[in-house]
Amino acid sequence: MTAGRIVATGTFDILHPGHLFYLEESKKLGDELVVIVARDTNVKHKPHPVIPEEHRLRMVAALKPVDKAILGDKSDMFRPIEELRPDIITIGFNQMFDEIKLAGQLKARNLPPKIVRIGKYTDGELCSSRLVVQRIIDKRSHDQHHPADHF
Amino acid sequence: MTAGRIVATGTFDILHPGHLFYLEESKKLGDELVVIVARDTNVKHKPHPVIPEEHRLRMVAALKPVDKAILGDKSDMFRPIEELRPDIITIGFNQMFDEIKLAGQLKARNLPPKIVRIGKYTDGELCSSRLVVQRIIDKRSHDQHHPADHF
């Protein structure tokens, strides 16, 4: 039996197969997948996104496993969870949530979703926005020494 | 009346809303949208893609307007067109095809598809892979002078 509504969250800065795997695996757990896309101003634990939030939202909403995508709340990350009342919240393998702390915070607000951590996508070399950015910078640096092949 | 099969083509290096618009508009013209994703080795008129072809293929195939995505032929760009026999081939607003030359090449091979150029997506600032790459480099350069905010 699958749960009804699943919520996944993330920044989704430069879309790659790791994001897609996380969303596909999340969708398999239920009937409806709603994705909360982080606001530009709320990304504080890692570098600010390269792509503006409205673009990130539009691209996530265009992916097949996603039924609906919304932007996060600017001041209270639990507000959309209260409104959506999902059966499951999924967490990506490298998302820095402490599941026990998160479960406590949800319980304190009387929110019952189960928390499921999705495994790592291993079939690919460029499965993090950080690695894509690094590759761009490496390539650019190489190209500066080989100008015939420049961006 | 819509045509049956539409074929769109491109590199789709770092997916952005401009790509999505091109594919959504292409899909509106028919019942089935097949996308031919350029091989790494065949991208010669602009810098080589940052993202490997298998990843680009997987991401394009995951987009809602896309019914099927395939990699291009390594040596003959018209071979997949011969196999797919589309009713329409769409071209993005900034794709460097000469429509008249292309129509002649198709005719020489007895391929009848209509060629439709899709307009420009104007609702966004970062709608080219080149601009996304440039923004990453600018941001990195800024961050090197402000290391507290580095990638």
Side-chain angles (χ1 to χ4, degrees):
Chain A
M1 207 196 86
T2 56
R5 175 176 283 171
I6 315 298
V7 160
T9 67
T11 309
F12 304 99
D13 192 15
I14 294 172
L15 282 181
H16 55 69
H19 291 134
L20 188 58
F21 177 78
Y22 165 52
L23 297 175
E24 284 170 344
E25 292 300 305
S26 297
K27 170 75 177 186
K28 283 179 191 167
L29 301 173
D31 304 311
E32 186 194 18
L33 174 62
V34 183
V35 183
I36 303 174
V37 175
R39 294 271 179 181
D40 290 340
T41 52
N42 287 359
V43 180
K44 289 172 182 155
H45 60 288
K46 59 181 178 179
H48 260 70
V50 173
I51 312 294
E53 62 191 21
E54 289 294 341
H55 284 216
R56 293 186 283 108
L57 177 68
R58 181 156 152 70
M59 296 311 291
V60 168
L63 295 171
K64 285 174 181 167
V66 178
D67 295 292
K68 192 179 171 188
I70 59 172
L71 287 173
D73 189 87
K74 283 187 179 169
S75 57
D76 178 4
M77 67 175 274
F78 291 102
R79 194 174 299 161
I81 305 295
E82 280 178 340
E83 283 163 16
L84 293 165
R85 300 200 74 82
D87 300 289
I88 291 177
I89 295 178
T90 59
I91 301 177
F93 85 95
N94 64 351
Q95 282 183 313
M96 301 197 314
F97 282 111
D98 176 334
E99 279 118 307
I100 294 167
K101 190 177 161 198
L102 179 60
Q105 289 168 318
L106 290 167
K107 202 176 168 190
R109 293 213 180 197
N110 207 21
L111 292 167
K114 200 174 146 191
I115 299 168
V116 175
R117 191 174 282 272
I118 302 293
K120 186 173 178 175
Y121 176 72
T122 53
D123 183 24
E125 49 174 322
L126 271 180
C127 288
S128 91
S129 300
R130 187 181 59 75
L131 289 179
V132 174
V133 164
Q134 193 54 53
R135 181 168 166 133
I136 288 169
I137 289 160
D138 292 348
K139 205 161 150 27
R140 168 67 166 214
S141 155
H142 169 269
D143 291 340
Q144 280 172 341
H145 296 96
H146 300 79
D149 191 33
H150 68 291
F151 273 107
Chain B
M1 208 193 87
T2 57
R5 177 176 281 170
I6 315 298
V7 160
T9 68
T11 309
F12 304 99
D13 191 15
I14 294 172
L15 283 182
H16 55 67
H19 291 133
L20 187 58
F21 176 79
Y22 166 51
L23 297 174
E24 284 171 344
E25 293 299 305
S26 298
K27 170 74 177 186
K28 284 180 191 167
L29 300 173
D31 303 312
E32 185 195 18
L33 174 63
V34 182
V35 182
I36 303 173
V37 176
R39 293 271 181 182
D40 290 341
T41 52
N42 287 359
V43 180
K44 288 172 182 154
H45 60 288
K46 58 181 178 180
H48 261 70
V50 173
I51 312 294
E53 62 192 20
E54 289 294 341
H55 283 217
R56 293 186 284 108
L57 177 68
R58 181 158 152 67
M59 295 311 290
V60 168
L63 295 172
K64 285 173 181 167
V66 178
D67 294 294
K68 192 180 169 188
I70 60 171
L71 287 172
D73 190 86
K74 282 187 181 170
S75 58
D76 178 2
M77 66 176 275
F78 292 102
R79 193 175 298 162
I81 305 294
E82 281 178 341
E83 284 163 15
L84 293 166
R85 300 200 72 82
D87 300 288
I88 291 177
I89 295 178
T90 59
I91 300 176
F93 85 95
N94 64 350
Q95 282 182 313
M96 301 197 315
F97 282 112
D98 176 334
E99 280 119 308
I100 294 167
K101 190 177 162 199
L102 179 61
Q105 289 168 319
L106 290 167
K107 201 176 170 191
R109 294 216 179 193
N110 207 20
L111 292 166
K114 199 174 147 190
I115 300 167
V116 175
R117 191 174 282 273
I118 303 293
K120 186 172 180 177
Y121 175 71
T122 52
D123 184 22
E125 48 173 324
L126 272 180
C127 287
S128 93
S129 300
R130 188 182 58 76
L131 290 179
V132 174
V133 164
Q134 194 53 52
R135 182 169 165 132
I136 287 169
I137 289 159
D138 293 347
K139 202 159 150 32
R140 168 67 165 215
S141 156
H142 168 269
D143 292 341
Q144 279 173 342
H145 295 97
H146 301 81
D149 190 35
H150 69 291
F151 273 109

